mmCIF file of all heavy atoms in Angstrom:
data_model
loop_
_atom_site.group_PDB
_atom_site.id
_atom_site.type_symbol
_atom_site.label_atom_id
_atom_site.label_comp_id
_atom_site.label_asym_id
_atom_site.label_seq_id
_atom_site.Cartn_x
_atom_site.Cartn_y
_atom_site.Cartn_z
ATOM 1 N N GLU A 19 63.422 -4.633 -39.999
ATOM 2 C CA GLU A 19 62.239 -5.191 -39.282
ATOM 3 C C GLU A 19 61.437 -6.076 -40.156
ATOM 4 O O GLU A 19 60.958 -7.101 -39.760
ATOM 5 C CB GLU A 19 61.472 -4.099 -38.719
ATOM 6 C CG GLU A 19 62.229 -3.184 -37.638
ATOM 7 C CD GLU A 19 62.384 -3.977 -36.298
ATOM 8 O OE1 GLU A 19 62.331 -5.168 -36.297
ATOM 9 O OE2 GLU A 19 62.695 -3.294 -35.341
ATOM 10 N N ASP A 20 61.239 -5.704 -41.326
ATOM 11 C CA ASP A 20 60.455 -6.494 -42.324
ATOM 12 C C ASP A 20 61.170 -7.832 -42.614
ATOM 13 O O ASP A 20 60.548 -8.944 -42.765
ATOM 14 C CB ASP A 20 60.202 -5.840 -43.700
ATOM 15 C CG ASP A 20 59.141 -4.649 -43.458
ATOM 16 O OD1 ASP A 20 58.240 -4.919 -42.697
ATOM 17 O OD2 ASP A 20 59.245 -3.721 -44.168
ATOM 18 N N GLU A 21 62.505 -7.727 -42.622
ATOM 19 C CA GLU A 21 63.232 -8.960 -42.897
ATOM 20 C C GLU A 21 63.164 -9.912 -41.616
ATOM 21 O O GLU A 21 63.047 -11.127 -41.706
ATOM 22 C CB GLU A 21 64.738 -8.668 -43.121
ATOM 23 C CG GLU A 21 65.595 -9.878 -43.492
ATOM 24 C CD GLU A 21 65.287 -10.481 -44.781
ATOM 25 O OE1 GLU A 21 64.500 -9.937 -45.568
ATOM 26 O OE2 GLU A 21 65.810 -11.596 -45.093
ATOM 27 N N VAL A 22 63.196 -9.387 -40.442
ATOM 28 C CA VAL A 22 62.998 -10.195 -39.218
ATOM 29 C C VAL A 22 61.602 -10.836 -39.236
ATOM 30 O O VAL A 22 61.527 -11.964 -39.026
ATOM 31 C CB VAL A 22 63.001 -9.280 -38.001
ATOM 32 C CG1 VAL A 22 62.701 -10.022 -36.662
ATOM 33 C CG2 VAL A 22 64.539 -8.662 -37.783
ATOM 34 N N ALA A 23 60.599 -10.034 -39.623
ATOM 35 C CA ALA A 23 59.243 -10.658 -39.723
ATOM 36 C C ALA A 23 59.280 -11.789 -40.776
ATOM 37 O O ALA A 23 58.511 -12.850 -40.530
ATOM 38 C CB ALA A 23 58.293 -9.603 -40.170
ATOM 39 N N ARG A 24 59.977 -11.663 -41.881
ATOM 40 C CA ARG A 24 60.070 -12.658 -42.865
ATOM 41 C C ARG A 24 60.712 -13.965 -42.294
ATOM 42 O O ARG A 24 60.308 -15.119 -42.579
ATOM 43 C CB ARG A 24 60.880 -12.216 -44.066
ATOM 44 C CG ARG A 24 61.079 -13.225 -45.185
ATOM 45 C CD ARG A 24 59.718 -13.452 -45.933
ATOM 46 N NE ARG A 24 59.850 -14.549 -46.839
ATOM 47 C CZ ARG A 24 58.785 -15.057 -47.443
ATOM 48 N NH1 ARG A 24 57.627 -14.554 -47.354
ATOM 49 N NH2 ARG A 24 59.026 -16.112 -48.247
ATOM 50 N N VAL A 25 61.682 -13.763 -41.457
ATOM 51 C CA VAL A 25 62.308 -14.939 -40.902
ATOM 52 C C VAL A 25 61.275 -15.784 -40.059
ATOM 53 O O VAL A 25 61.240 -16.983 -40.093
ATOM 54 C CB VAL A 25 63.535 -14.614 -39.975
ATOM 55 C CG1 VAL A 25 64.043 -15.815 -39.137
ATOM 56 C CG2 VAL A 25 64.657 -14.028 -40.770
ATOM 57 N N PHE A 26 60.445 -14.981 -39.276
ATOM 58 C CA PHE A 26 59.477 -15.711 -38.452
ATOM 59 C C PHE A 26 58.403 -16.411 -39.361
ATOM 60 O O PHE A 26 57.911 -17.494 -39.001
ATOM 61 C CB PHE A 26 58.786 -14.702 -37.506
ATOM 62 C CG PHE A 26 59.570 -14.483 -36.361
ATOM 63 C CD1 PHE A 26 60.152 -13.212 -36.133
ATOM 64 C CD2 PHE A 26 59.838 -15.450 -35.387
ATOM 65 C CE1 PHE A 26 60.948 -12.904 -35.066
ATOM 66 C CE2 PHE A 26 60.723 -15.212 -34.283
ATOM 67 C CZ PHE A 26 61.190 -13.915 -34.097
ATOM 68 N N LEU A 27 58.081 -15.857 -40.462
ATOM 69 C CA LEU A 27 57.220 -16.500 -41.422
ATOM 70 C C LEU A 27 57.794 -17.822 -41.980
ATOM 71 O O LEU A 27 57.101 -18.764 -42.023
ATOM 72 C CB LEU A 27 56.744 -15.629 -42.580
ATOM 73 C CG LEU A 27 55.862 -16.249 -43.689
ATOM 74 C CD1 LEU A 27 54.556 -16.635 -43.096
ATOM 75 C CD2 LEU A 27 55.721 -15.245 -44.860
ATOM 76 N N GLU A 28 59.074 -17.718 -42.348
ATOM 77 C CA GLU A 28 59.792 -18.915 -42.854
ATOM 78 C C GLU A 28 59.801 -19.956 -41.776
ATOM 79 O O GLU A 28 59.682 -21.165 -42.075
ATOM 80 C CB GLU A 28 61.087 -18.546 -43.275
ATOM 81 C CG GLU A 28 61.196 -17.649 -44.556
ATOM 82 C CD GLU A 28 62.636 -17.187 -44.890
ATOM 83 O OE1 GLU A 28 63.562 -17.662 -44.284
ATOM 84 O OE2 GLU A 28 62.705 -16.373 -45.867
ATOM 85 N N LEU A 29 60.018 -19.587 -40.543
ATOM 86 C CA LEU A 29 60.095 -20.496 -39.493
ATOM 87 C C LEU A 29 58.681 -21.121 -39.264
ATOM 88 O O LEU A 29 58.581 -22.389 -38.955
ATOM 89 C CB LEU A 29 60.648 -19.890 -38.193
ATOM 90 C CG LEU A 29 60.915 -20.703 -37.018
ATOM 91 C CD1 LEU A 29 61.948 -21.849 -37.367
ATOM 92 C CD2 LEU A 29 61.375 -19.841 -35.887
ATOM 93 N N PHE A 30 57.692 -20.373 -39.312
ATOM 94 C CA PHE A 30 56.261 -20.802 -39.188
ATOM 95 C C PHE A 30 56.033 -21.992 -40.239
ATOM 96 O O PHE A 30 55.439 -23.010 -39.958
ATOM 97 C CB PHE A 30 55.351 -19.651 -39.448
ATOM 98 C CG PHE A 30 53.888 -20.000 -39.593
ATOM 99 C CD1 PHE A 30 53.114 -20.426 -38.648
ATOM 100 C CD2 PHE A 30 53.322 -19.867 -40.917
ATOM 101 C CE1 PHE A 30 51.776 -20.840 -38.853
ATOM 102 C CE2 PHE A 30 52.005 -20.210 -41.137
ATOM 103 C CZ PHE A 30 51.187 -20.653 -40.064
ATOM 104 N N GLU A 31 56.470 -21.684 -41.462
ATOM 105 C CA GLU A 31 56.267 -22.659 -42.604
ATOM 106 C C GLU A 31 57.003 -23.816 -42.351
ATOM 107 O O GLU A 31 56.662 -25.002 -42.593
ATOM 108 C CB GLU A 31 56.532 -22.017 -43.958
ATOM 109 C CG GLU A 31 55.618 -20.857 -44.267
ATOM 110 C CD GLU A 31 56.044 -19.984 -45.470
ATOM 111 O OE1 GLU A 31 57.173 -20.089 -45.794
ATOM 112 O OE2 GLU A 31 55.094 -19.342 -46.025
ATOM 113 N N ARG A 32 58.330 -23.787 -41.823
ATOM 114 C CA ARG A 32 59.199 -24.936 -41.625
ATOM 115 C C ARG A 32 58.646 -25.757 -40.518
ATOM 116 O O ARG A 32 58.653 -27.009 -40.665
ATOM 117 C CB ARG A 32 60.572 -24.322 -41.217
ATOM 118 C CG ARG A 32 61.572 -25.378 -40.901
ATOM 119 C CD ARG A 32 61.968 -26.219 -42.143
ATOM 120 N NE ARG A 32 62.965 -27.231 -41.869
ATOM 121 C CZ ARG A 32 64.174 -27.100 -42.439
ATOM 122 N NH1 ARG A 32 64.546 -25.954 -43.110
ATOM 123 N NH2 ARG A 32 65.119 -27.959 -42.126
ATOM 124 N N ARG A 33 58.286 -25.158 -39.442
ATOM 125 C CA ARG A 33 57.618 -25.891 -38.323
ATOM 126 C C ARG A 33 56.433 -26.719 -38.818
ATOM 127 O O ARG A 33 56.162 -27.810 -38.377
ATOM 128 C CB ARG A 33 57.380 -25.066 -37.127
ATOM 129 C CG ARG A 33 56.806 -25.759 -35.959
ATOM 130 C CD ARG A 33 56.615 -24.925 -34.753
ATOM 131 N NE ARG A 33 55.611 -23.831 -34.920
ATOM 132 C CZ ARG A 33 55.262 -23.020 -33.835
ATOM 133 N NH1 ARG A 33 55.708 -23.185 -32.662
ATOM 134 N NH2 ARG A 33 54.242 -22.145 -34.082
ATOM 135 N N ALA A 34 55.532 -25.982 -39.617
ATOM 136 C CA ALA A 34 54.352 -26.562 -40.134
ATOM 137 C C ALA A 34 54.566 -27.914 -40.787
ATOM 138 O O ALA A 34 53.780 -28.908 -40.836
ATOM 139 C CB ALA A 34 53.571 -25.660 -40.875
ATOM 140 N N ALA A 35 55.685 -27.904 -41.563
ATOM 141 C CA ALA A 35 56.029 -29.174 -42.289
ATOM 142 C C ALA A 35 56.874 -30.130 -41.582
ATOM 143 O O ALA A 35 57.251 -31.159 -42.137
ATOM 144 C CB ALA A 35 56.770 -28.663 -43.598
ATOM 145 N N ALA A 36 57.321 -29.864 -40.319
ATOM 146 C CA ALA A 36 58.261 -30.638 -39.581
ATOM 147 C C ALA A 36 57.673 -31.857 -38.995
ATOM 148 O O ALA A 36 56.409 -31.946 -38.741
ATOM 149 C CB ALA A 36 59.040 -29.749 -38.527
ATOM 150 N N ARG A 37 58.503 -32.772 -38.624
ATOM 151 C CA ARG A 37 58.008 -33.981 -37.939
ATOM 152 C C ARG A 37 57.592 -33.691 -36.500
ATOM 153 O O ARG A 37 56.596 -34.343 -35.993
ATOM 154 C CB ARG A 37 59.166 -35.089 -37.989
ATOM 155 C CG ARG A 37 58.764 -36.372 -37.332
ATOM 156 C CD ARG A 37 59.996 -37.320 -37.430
ATOM 157 N NE ARG A 37 61.110 -36.878 -36.889
ATOM 158 C CZ ARG A 37 61.502 -36.828 -35.673
ATOM 159 N NH1 ARG A 37 60.649 -37.555 -34.727
ATOM 160 N NH2 ARG A 37 62.635 -36.383 -35.166
ATOM 161 N N ARG A 38 58.305 -32.755 -35.880
ATOM 162 C CA ARG A 38 58.013 -32.548 -34.451
ATOM 163 C C ARG A 38 57.709 -31.069 -34.376
ATOM 164 O O ARG A 38 58.401 -30.187 -34.874
ATOM 165 C CB ARG A 38 59.166 -32.936 -33.585
ATOM 166 C CG ARG A 38 58.911 -32.700 -32.075
ATOM 167 C CD ARG A 38 59.913 -33.487 -31.315
ATOM 168 N NE ARG A 38 59.714 -33.289 -29.904
ATOM 169 C CZ ARG A 38 60.440 -32.610 -29.053
ATOM 170 N NH1 ARG A 38 61.532 -31.961 -29.501
ATOM 171 N NH2 ARG A 38 60.142 -32.391 -27.747
ATOM 172 N N HIS A 39 56.706 -30.715 -33.518
ATOM 173 C CA HIS A 39 56.255 -29.333 -33.343
ATOM 174 C C HIS A 39 56.604 -28.963 -31.949
ATOM 175 O O HIS A 39 56.218 -29.583 -30.920
ATOM 176 C CB HIS A 39 54.645 -29.279 -33.444
ATOM 177 C CG HIS A 39 54.200 -27.949 -33.437
ATOM 178 N ND1 HIS A 39 54.124 -27.114 -32.286
ATOM 179 C CD2 HIS A 39 53.620 -27.116 -34.459
ATOM 180 C CE1 HIS A 39 53.510 -25.961 -32.512
ATOM 181 N NE2 HIS A 39 53.242 -25.954 -33.848
ATOM 182 N N ILE A 40 57.434 -27.883 -31.764
ATOM 183 C CA ILE A 40 57.832 -27.422 -30.449
ATOM 184 C C ILE A 40 57.347 -25.961 -30.277
ATOM 185 O O ILE A 40 57.238 -25.226 -31.391
ATOM 186 C CB ILE A 40 59.369 -27.465 -30.185
ATOM 187 C CG1 ILE A 40 60.145 -26.687 -31.174
ATOM 188 C CG2 ILE A 40 59.815 -29.011 -30.122
ATOM 189 C CD1 ILE A 40 61.683 -26.570 -30.814
ATOM 190 N N PRO A 41 57.224 -25.372 -29.121
ATOM 191 C CA PRO A 41 56.905 -23.966 -28.981
ATOM 192 C C PRO A 41 58.021 -23.154 -29.355
ATOM 193 O O PRO A 41 59.253 -23.367 -29.028
ATOM 194 C CB PRO A 41 56.565 -23.875 -27.419
ATOM 195 C CG PRO A 41 57.106 -25.129 -26.795
ATOM 196 C CD PRO A 41 57.218 -26.174 -27.805
ATOM 197 N N VAL A 42 57.730 -22.098 -30.090
ATOM 198 C CA VAL A 42 58.806 -21.080 -30.465
ATOM 199 C C VAL A 42 58.202 -19.704 -30.078
ATOM 200 O O VAL A 42 57.169 -19.330 -30.447
ATOM 201 C CB VAL A 42 59.077 -21.101 -32.010
ATOM 202 C CG1 VAL A 42 60.105 -20.130 -32.448
ATOM 203 C CG2 VAL A 42 59.546 -22.610 -32.330
ATOM 204 N N ALA A 43 59.058 -18.931 -29.269
ATOM 205 C CA ALA A 43 58.629 -17.541 -28.953
ATOM 206 C C ALA A 43 59.490 -16.603 -29.692
ATOM 207 O O ALA A 43 60.723 -16.835 -29.860
ATOM 208 C CB ALA A 43 58.801 -17.414 -27.435
ATOM 209 N N PRO A 44 58.966 -15.495 -30.201
ATOM 210 C CA PRO A 44 57.608 -15.042 -30.121
ATOM 211 C C PRO A 44 56.737 -15.507 -31.154
ATOM 212 O O PRO A 44 55.544 -15.052 -31.314
ATOM 213 C CB PRO A 44 57.768 -13.535 -30.057
ATOM 214 C CG PRO A 44 58.878 -13.346 -30.970
ATOM 215 C CD PRO A 44 59.824 -14.374 -30.760
ATOM 216 N N LEU A 45 57.170 -16.445 -31.957
ATOM 217 C CA LEU A 45 56.345 -16.917 -33.140
ATOM 218 C C LEU A 45 54.930 -17.423 -32.663
ATOM 219 O O LEU A 45 53.956 -17.036 -33.368
ATOM 220 C CB LEU A 45 57.040 -18.090 -33.840
ATOM 221 C CG LEU A 45 56.252 -18.730 -34.985
ATOM 222 C CD1 LEU A 45 55.977 -17.721 -36.134
ATOM 223 C CD2 LEU A 45 57.072 -19.940 -35.532
ATOM 224 N N ASP A 46 54.818 -18.120 -31.547
ATOM 225 C CA ASP A 46 53.576 -18.599 -31.207
ATOM 226 C C ASP A 46 52.504 -17.365 -30.871
ATOM 227 O O ASP A 46 51.404 -17.610 -31.140
ATOM 228 C CB ASP A 46 53.650 -19.498 -29.943
ATOM 229 C CG ASP A 46 54.397 -20.832 -30.241
ATOM 230 O OD1 ASP A 46 54.281 -21.233 -31.431
ATOM 231 O OD2 ASP A 46 55.090 -21.303 -29.431
ATOM 232 N N ASP A 47 52.993 -16.350 -30.261
ATOM 233 C CA ASP A 47 52.145 -15.223 -30.085
ATOM 234 C C ASP A 47 51.730 -14.615 -31.434
ATOM 235 O O ASP A 47 50.554 -14.230 -31.574
ATOM 236 C CB ASP A 47 52.875 -14.111 -29.299
ATOM 237 C CG ASP A 47 52.979 -14.394 -27.815
ATOM 238 O OD1 ASP A 47 52.062 -15.116 -27.280
ATOM 239 O OD2 ASP A 47 53.851 -13.945 -27.172
ATOM 240 N N TYR A 48 52.627 -14.525 -32.403
ATOM 241 C CA TYR A 48 52.192 -13.904 -33.768
ATOM 242 C C TYR A 48 51.198 -14.888 -34.328
ATOM 243 O O TYR A 48 50.203 -14.330 -34.894
ATOM 244 C CB TYR A 48 53.412 -13.917 -34.622
ATOM 245 C CG TYR A 48 54.595 -13.016 -34.124
ATOM 246 C CD1 TYR A 48 55.900 -13.251 -34.649
ATOM 247 C CD2 TYR A 48 54.324 -12.055 -33.229
ATOM 248 C CE1 TYR A 48 56.921 -12.425 -34.169
ATOM 249 C CE2 TYR A 48 55.350 -11.213 -32.844
ATOM 250 C CZ TYR A 48 56.658 -11.436 -33.306
ATOM 251 O OH TYR A 48 57.718 -10.567 -32.896
ATOM 252 N N VAL A 49 51.315 -16.163 -34.168
ATOM 253 C CA VAL A 49 50.201 -17.085 -34.824
ATOM 254 C C VAL A 49 48.880 -16.981 -34.125
ATOM 255 O O VAL A 49 47.850 -16.905 -34.765
ATOM 256 C CB VAL A 49 50.768 -18.570 -34.803
ATOM 257 C CG1 VAL A 49 49.658 -19.421 -35.261
ATOM 258 C CG2 VAL A 49 52.101 -18.656 -35.630
ATOM 259 N N LYS A 50 48.993 -16.839 -32.871
ATOM 260 C CA LYS A 50 47.780 -16.643 -32.029
ATOM 261 C C LYS A 50 46.989 -15.436 -32.484
ATOM 262 O O LYS A 50 45.755 -15.381 -32.664
ATOM 263 C CB LYS A 50 48.032 -16.695 -30.526
ATOM 264 C CG LYS A 50 46.862 -16.341 -29.650
ATOM 265 C CD LYS A 50 47.238 -16.287 -28.216
ATOM 266 C CE LYS A 50 46.123 -15.711 -27.343
ATOM 267 N NZ LYS A 50 46.657 -15.600 -25.897
ATOM 268 N N TRP A 51 47.757 -14.314 -32.471
ATOM 269 C CA TRP A 51 47.199 -13.001 -32.904
ATOM 270 C C TRP A 51 46.682 -13.014 -34.253
ATOM 271 O O TRP A 51 45.551 -12.485 -34.584
ATOM 272 C CB TRP A 51 48.200 -11.873 -32.531
ATOM 273 C CG TRP A 51 48.596 -11.749 -31.158
ATOM 274 C CD1 TRP A 51 47.847 -12.183 -30.071
ATOM 275 C CD2 TRP A 51 49.789 -11.280 -30.564
ATOM 276 N NE1 TRP A 51 48.541 -11.975 -28.940
ATOM 277 C CE2 TRP A 51 49.710 -11.476 -29.143
ATOM 278 C CE3 TRP A 51 50.984 -10.766 -31.157
ATOM 279 C CZ2 TRP A 51 50.705 -11.071 -28.414
ATOM 280 C CZ3 TRP A 51 51.957 -10.343 -30.366
ATOM 281 C CH2 TRP A 51 51.922 -10.532 -28.957
ATOM 282 N N ALA A 52 47.336 -13.722 -35.267
ATOM 283 C CA ALA A 52 46.868 -13.736 -36.580
ATOM 284 C C ALA A 52 45.515 -14.626 -36.619
ATOM 285 O O ALA A 52 44.580 -14.200 -37.323
ATOM 286 C CB ALA A 52 47.991 -14.314 -37.471
ATOM 287 N N ALA A 53 45.548 -15.685 -35.869
ATOM 288 C CA ALA A 53 44.316 -16.531 -35.816
ATOM 289 C C ALA A 53 43.147 -15.732 -35.282
ATOM 290 O O ALA A 53 42.084 -15.806 -35.808
ATOM 291 C CB ALA A 53 44.518 -17.725 -35.035
ATOM 292 N N LEU A 54 43.403 -14.969 -34.207
ATOM 293 C CA LEU A 54 42.293 -14.205 -33.651
ATOM 294 C C LEU A 54 41.746 -13.197 -34.653
ATOM 295 O O LEU A 54 40.490 -12.862 -34.628
ATOM 296 C CB LEU A 54 42.797 -13.456 -32.397
ATOM 297 C CG LEU A 54 43.049 -14.326 -31.146
ATOM 298 C CD1 LEU A 54 43.719 -13.574 -30.065
ATOM 299 C CD2 LEU A 54 41.677 -14.892 -30.587
ATOM 300 N N LYS A 55 42.677 -12.566 -35.442
ATOM 301 C CA LYS A 55 42.225 -11.613 -36.465
ATOM 302 C C LYS A 55 41.244 -12.332 -37.546
ATOM 303 O O LYS A 55 40.246 -11.767 -37.917
ATOM 304 C CB LYS A 55 43.412 -11.021 -37.188
ATOM 305 C CG LYS A 55 44.165 -9.953 -36.412
ATOM 306 C CD LYS A 55 45.222 -9.310 -37.208
ATOM 307 C CE LYS A 55 44.654 -8.506 -38.347
ATOM 308 N NZ LYS A 55 45.774 -7.941 -39.145
ATOM 309 N N ILE A 56 41.769 -13.550 -37.869
ATOM 310 C CA ILE A 56 40.950 -14.222 -38.946
ATOM 311 C C ILE A 56 39.565 -14.589 -38.303
ATOM 312 O O ILE A 56 38.554 -14.446 -39.053
ATOM 313 C CB ILE A 56 41.687 -15.488 -39.420
ATOM 314 C CG1 ILE A 56 42.934 -15.127 -40.170
ATOM 315 C CG2 ILE A 56 40.754 -16.392 -40.309
ATOM 316 C CD1 ILE A 56 43.844 -16.297 -40.590
ATOM 317 N N ALA A 57 39.555 -14.964 -37.100
ATOM 318 C CA ALA A 57 38.361 -15.402 -36.449
ATOM 319 C C ALA A 57 37.461 -14.251 -36.048
ATOM 320 O O ALA A 57 36.383 -14.371 -35.731
ATOM 321 C CB ALA A 57 38.675 -16.255 -35.225
ATOM 322 N N GLY A 58 38.018 -13.003 -36.098
ATOM 323 C CA GLY A 58 37.313 -11.828 -35.694
ATOM 324 C C GLY A 58 36.922 -11.875 -34.156
ATOM 325 O O GLY A 58 35.855 -11.410 -33.762
ATOM 326 N N ARG A 59 37.929 -12.402 -33.444
ATOM 327 C CA ARG A 59 37.730 -12.467 -31.899
ATOM 328 C C ARG A 59 38.649 -11.678 -31.177
ATOM 329 O O ARG A 59 39.668 -12.221 -30.607
ATOM 330 C CB ARG A 59 37.839 -13.922 -31.566
ATOM 331 C CG ARG A 59 36.725 -14.943 -32.142
ATOM 332 C CD ARG A 59 35.461 -14.741 -31.489
ATOM 333 N NE ARG A 59 34.461 -15.773 -31.923
ATOM 334 C CZ ARG A 59 34.408 -16.945 -31.300
ATOM 335 N NH1 ARG A 59 35.108 -17.186 -30.281
ATOM 336 N NH2 ARG A 59 33.494 -17.751 -31.743
ATOM 337 N N PRO A 60 38.434 -10.392 -31.029
ATOM 338 C CA PRO A 60 39.379 -9.620 -30.240
ATOM 339 C C PRO A 60 39.167 -10.027 -28.772
ATOM 340 O O PRO A 60 38.103 -10.227 -28.321
ATOM 341 C CB PRO A 60 38.910 -8.186 -30.471
ATOM 342 C CG PRO A 60 37.454 -8.277 -30.897
ATOM 343 C CD PRO A 60 37.390 -9.667 -31.687
ATOM 344 N N VAL A 61 40.318 -10.198 -28.099
ATOM 345 C CA VAL A 61 40.240 -10.656 -26.744
ATOM 346 C C VAL A 61 40.883 -9.645 -25.708
ATOM 347 O O VAL A 61 40.741 -9.680 -24.534
ATOM 348 C CB VAL A 61 40.824 -12.027 -26.560
ATOM 349 C CG1 VAL A 61 40.054 -13.106 -27.246
ATOM 350 C CG2 VAL A 61 42.295 -12.074 -27.002
ATOM 351 N N ALA A 62 41.795 -8.797 -26.293
ATOM 352 C CA ALA A 62 42.563 -7.891 -25.416
ATOM 353 C C ALA A 62 41.660 -6.702 -25.105
ATOM 354 O O ALA A 62 41.274 -5.999 -26.007
ATOM 355 C CB ALA A 62 43.901 -7.537 -26.045
ATOM 356 N N SER A 63 41.391 -6.470 -23.850
ATOM 357 C CA SER A 63 40.719 -5.308 -23.457
ATOM 358 C C SER A 63 41.479 -4.495 -22.364
ATOM 359 O O SER A 63 42.167 -5.044 -21.544
ATOM 360 C CB SER A 63 39.293 -5.683 -22.917
ATOM 361 O OG SER A 63 39.449 -6.477 -21.720
ATOM 362 N N GLY A 64 41.268 -3.236 -22.356
ATOM 363 C CA GLY A 64 41.921 -2.384 -21.444
ATOM 364 C C GLY A 64 43.480 -2.222 -21.548
ATOM 365 O O GLY A 64 44.162 -1.889 -20.657
ATOM 366 N N VAL A 65 43.965 -2.647 -22.812
ATOM 367 C CA VAL A 65 45.419 -2.703 -22.918
ATOM 368 C C VAL A 65 46.051 -1.300 -23.012
ATOM 369 O O VAL A 65 47.279 -1.198 -22.860
ATOM 370 C CB VAL A 65 45.837 -3.493 -24.238
ATOM 371 C CG1 VAL A 65 45.419 -4.973 -23.959
ATOM 372 C CG2 VAL A 65 45.135 -2.899 -25.481
#
């Protein structure tokens, strides 16, 4: 599982440096949730 997570990190970095940006699932969710953590903005309630 940690290796799977590492693949998504590498893909995150590859896309950031790429000429074209396309949606990638579930990477986009991981990025959103990481950004919310940094921003200190919990949004999920009643989960």
Side-chain angles (χ1 to χ4, degrees):
E19 297 287 16
D20 285 328
E21 184 68 8
V22 171
R24 179 68 192 176
V25 171
F26 282 111
L27 176 64
E28 292 174 9
L29 188 57
F30 166 73
E31 294 170 339
R32 179 62 174 258
R33 182 174 67 174
R37 179 178 58 85
R38 184 164 180 250
H39 186 289
I40 62 168
V42 179
L45 176 62
D46 292 332
D47 281 335
Y48 299 158
V49 175
K50 173 185 174 182
W51 297 333
L54 288 170
K55 283 183 69 179
I56 293 172
R59 295 287 189 88
V61 295
S63 61
V65 292

